[in-house]
Amino acid sequence: MQRSDVLITGAGPTGLVLALWLSKLGIRVRIIDKTSAPGTTSRALAVQARTLELYRQLDLADAVVKKGHRVAAANFWVKGAPVTRLPLSRVGEGLTPYAFLEIFPQDEHERLLIDRLETFGITVERNTELLGFEETGDDIIATLRLPDGQQEICQACYLAGCDGARSIVRKTLDTGFPGGTYQQVFYVADVQASGPTFNGELHLDLDEADFLAVFPLAGEGRARLIGTVRDERAEHAEGLRFEDVSSRAIEHMKVKIEQLNWFSTYRVHHRVADHFRTGRAFLLGDAAHVHSPAGGQGMNTGIGDAINLAWKLAAVLSGGAEAKLLATYETERIAFARKLVATTDRVFTFVTAEGRMADLLRTRLAPFLLPKMASFETSREFLFRTVSQITLNYRGMPLSRGVAGHVHGGDRLPWAHDGEGDNFEPLKCPTWQVHVYGDTSDEMIAWCHEHHLPLHVFDWRPAFETAGLGRNGFYLLRPDTYVAIAETCSDPKVIARYFRDHGIRPFFGRS
Ligand SMILES: Cc1cc2nc3c(=O)[nH]c(=O)nc-3n(C[C@H](O)[C@H](O)[C@H](O)COP(=O)(O)OP(=O)(O)OC[C@H]3O[C@@H](n4cnc5c(N)ncnc54)[C@H](O)[C@@H]3O)c2cc1C
């Protein structure tokens, strides 16, 4: 019987990133997908700044930035004319090395992840479907259907359900998936076209309760139209053709379609699974949460799930932590998923609300308010922080402790840079590490050395204060770069106690 450390079901972005991270950490993975080839349609477009920050650990960030398209501005249209232009090219300046909106279609993104996975000697097993599984104390025993139709029984220490919204893993676990389905039907179309909206920027039509956006793709005249339809057309979504919806884009945003490359309709649900873990089986990505694509959060959240789980699974499998560490995956990720689904639901409901009042808000008030809001750095910064996922944090959760400066245990480490350097540089290595901004004690230096815990001491500079970091003290960082401890003293016993309490032995790992 084949045996792997982790059996990953589903080679969408979530499964591929999990496989990459685990492979980098020396864990034996097997990744299967029931389809014969990777997806060829663009689907999710936005790669958020937080994803790019974390991609530095896999040396992927530069490749994504190079292959993708940086959006310079978002334009809002009313009655056939642009009314507001919101510059986006450096919208998060000073907050992250990736202070812009990056568009990189999901099919190209998946191909990049697959190529990178192959450098670790791992190939996605295609035409291989998970039919069911059971847990037998120390193992998962799974039944697979192989490309030749034969069945295989295989064994794994853990099962990762990255198998999308209709997840068989979730169904086998009998985990509830409460929520609802939007009455609108979404359509997506990749087109070759021309007109004023084909200038490499993002365009959003505020005219009607049905939503319409034109997203630029890399390449001259290439764009993605995303829209919704309701009324009687939504009841016959399967029969909806591009001709039925394209007239609106043509009328409202003066799009001249030259070629249609891909058109699809789909219904969107807003749901979060009741649990993200049952015993040795985990749910990640769309298998665990689905919501409106407005805001470009779905794929990025799945990738975030994968990174959160990867280091924990690797630690437990390599003897670097007790199995209780795995319970923190659900605690940390379900809280964010619930908040995200509630937020995207509120935004989407507002944007697509019907009635005279809603129309007035969109077509009169929004064009007036948006430029005002855009002119305030604080409102621009708030929007960027939220959408880019750099404010996502695990404050108040079991693995998070203390406060130093403006940084709490559970926060993303703030980015601080100036002519002398960048405090994110050491984060490329996915290991536990300690950062000190200012001075530390001899005891701390000796203790970290003795325990092989990387210690990075940065001479105090104004850039650290601007970023909200505390002087002296220390930050213990997890392998996924979130702050475990934010502490004002320089006593290494605080670290020793933390590791003891959580059953973590980070220095005795096999990788
Ligand atoms: C038409 C369309 C347009 C979209 N547009 C956007 C957008 O504009 N913005 C946005 O953020 N999101 C968008 N999404 C959603 C986005 O694509 C998902 O959030 C993202 O793909 C989730 O990644 P995932 O890896 O979790 O799941 P998926 O990408 O769904 O991957 C799951 C994989 O599991 C495999 N699988 C399923 N069951 C089994 C089994 N039993 N055995 C083996 N393999 C199995 C499937 O073949 C699939 O490859 C869109 C989705 C669709 C369908």
Side-chain angles (χ1 to χ4, degrees):
M1 204 189 296
Q2 262 216 57
R3 193 171 198 287
S4 48
D5 287 338
V6 183
L7 173 64
I8 301 173
T9 303
T14 306
L16 290 167
V17 170
L18 181 66
L20 265 170
W21 233 272
L22 286 170
S23 301
K24 169 135 185 149
L25 296 170
I27 301 302
R28 283 176 305 146
V29 301
R30 185 170 180 192
I31 176 165
I32 60 166
D33 200 290
K34 66 182 180 183
T35 58
S36 58
T40 53
T41 52
S42 52
R43 293 159 293 152
L45 297 178
V47 183
Q48 302 297 351
R50 186 61 182 142
T51 303
L52 290 169
E53 287 179 359
L54 291 163
Y55 269 8
R56 273 180 145 190
Q57 293 187 300
L58 284 173
D59 200 18
L60 274 172
D62 289 348
V64 172
V65 171
K66 193 162 160 231
K67 286 169 181 272
H69 173 77
R70 207 180 281 197
V71 181
N75 300 273
F76 297 88
W77 287 59
V78 174
K79 300 197 190 325
V83 288
T84 300
R85 183 174 183 274
L86 178 63
L88 297 175
S89 53
R90 308 264 351 138
V91 67
E93 186 118 51
L95 300 175
T96 165
Y98 308 99
F100 42 83
L101 174 61
E102 176 74 9
I103 297 286
F104 187 42
Q106 188 173 330
D107 54 334
E108 294 175 46
H109 193 155
E110 287 179 13
R111 278 205 302 278
L112 177 71
L113 297 173
I114 290 167
D115 289 350
R116 196 53 66 91
L117 195 54
E118 282 175 356
T119 66
F120 287 97
I122 306 291
T123 305
V124 176
E125 295 175 45
R126 294 275 165 199
N127 290 313
T128 304
E129 181 176 0
L130 177 75
L131 297 177
F133 66 92
E134 58 181 353
E135 188 174 332
T136 60
D138 290 343
D139 275 312
I140 291 280
I141 307 290
T143 308
L144 310 183
R145 182 167 35 229
L146 301 177
D148 61 4
Q150 301 273 336
Q151 290 193 5
E152 181 198 330
I153 309 291
C154 70
Q155 226 175 346
C157 295
Y158 293 99
L159 173 66
C162 307
D163 48 346
R166 294 185 182 157
S167 167
I168 177 105
V169 176
R170 193 185 64 237
K171 286 176 191 155
T172 308
L173 294 171
D174 203 16
T175 302
F177 201 32
T181 306
Y182 291 109
Q183 64 172 133
Q184 294 94 335
V185 166
F186 275 75
Y187 64 85
V188 287
D190 280 3
V191 295
Q192 192 72 37
S194 58
T197 54
F198 284 71
N199 61 352
E201 299 185 352
L202 169 62
H203 296 266
L204 296 145
D205 182 18
L206 297 173
D207 267 328
E208 290 176 15
D210 280 345
F211 172 84
L212 174 64
V214 180
F215 279 83
L217 300 177
E220 181 78 22
R222 273 189 72 209
R224 153 82 80 81
L225 309 185
I226 300 183
T228 58
V229 289
R230 58 171 91 222
D231 59 51
E232 67 285 354
R233 289 174 304 165
E235 280 156 33
H236 308 289
E238 295 72 31
L240 201 69
R241 295 161 312 154
F242 184 58
E243 295 75 56
D244 301 324
V245 296
S246 56
S247 59
R248 216 182 117 217
I250 293 163
E251 280 164 30
H252 288 213
M253 289 163 116
K254 303 182 172 51
V255 174
K256 288 196 203 85
I257 310 282
E258 285 152 16
Q259 190 182 314
L260 172 68
N261 298 325
W262 172 57
F263 176 71
S264 178
T265 57
Y266 64 113
R267 283 201 180 270
V268 173
H269 308 266
H270 46 103
R271 298 175 188 279
V272 180
D274 284 334
H275 294 288
F276 284 11
R277 177 201 179 196
T278 305
R280 292 177 169 270
F282 296 85
L283 297 173
L284 302 84
D286 276 19
H289 43 76
V290 286
H291 45 83
S292 139
Q297 302 291 304
M299 183 188 68
N300 292 277
T301 307
I303 291 171
D305 293 343
I307 295 168
N308 185 289
L309 183 61
W311 72 268
K312 295 173 184 173
L313 277 176
V316 172
L317 281 161
S318 61
E322 292 169 20
K324 68 178 182 181
L325 178 65
L326 299 175
T328 64
Y329 165 69
E330 173 174 307
T331 317
E332 293 185 342
R333 297 305 295 180
I334 209 166
F336 177 68
R338 287 188 175 137
K339 199 168 142 197
L340 178 65
V341 171
T343 315
T344 50
D345 186 43
R346 271 200 303 275
V347 171
F348 183 66
T349 306
F350 172 76
V351 170
T352 59
E354 283 182 290
R356 213 174 119 67
M357 187 54 108
D359 276 350
L360 275 175
L361 277 176
R362 263 192 307 271
T363 58
R364 298 278 165 86
L365 202 60
F368 172 75
L369 281 181
L370 282 166
K372 297 248 174 312
M373 281 167 63
S375 67
F376 287 118
E377 201 183 324
T378 38
S379 52
R380 263 206 324 263
E381 186 178 314
F382 172 77
L383 195 67
F384 179 81
R385 280 183 184 278
T386 309
V387 174
S388 66
Q389 299 200 346
I390 62 172
T391 46
L392 188 163
N393 67 75
Y394 306 129
R395 280 187 191 182
M397 296 188 193
L399 290 181
S400 310
R401 282 199 193 162
V403 189
H406 296 294
V407 181
H408 293 238
D411 284 357
R412 154 193 173 269
L413 184 77
W415 182 55
H417 75 117
D418 55 20
E420 289 179 58
D422 168 357
N423 68 334
F424 274 17
E425 201 52 39
L427 303 185
K428 284 182 180 162
C429 198
T431 53
W432 288 92
Q433 54 187 278
V434 177
H435 282 203
V436 171
Y437 298 92
D439 299 320
T440 194
S441 63
D442 291 344
E443 203 189 350
M444 177 68 91
I445 295 169
W447 192 89
C448 288
H449 182 72
E450 186 191 336
H451 293 88
H452 309 290
L453 181 62
L455 168 67
H456 301 277
V457 182
F458 301 83
D459 289 335
W460 182 254
R461 308 197 298 264
F464 299 141
E465 185 156 22
T466 311
L469 292 158
R471 189 168 187 168
N472 306 331
F474 69 88
Y475 297 98
L476 173 69
L477 302 174
R478 312 175 350 171
D480 62 357
T481 79
Y482 282 89
V483 176
I485 306 177
E487 179 55 70
T488 50
C489 76
S490 302
D491 182 357
K493 287 196 282 301
V494 177
I495 303 179
R497 198 162 48 238
Y498 176 91
F499 284 142
R500 204 171 46 242
D501 289 354
H502 292 293
I504 297 171
R505 297 175 296 277
F507 329 120
F508 309 117
R510 69 181 177 197
S511 56

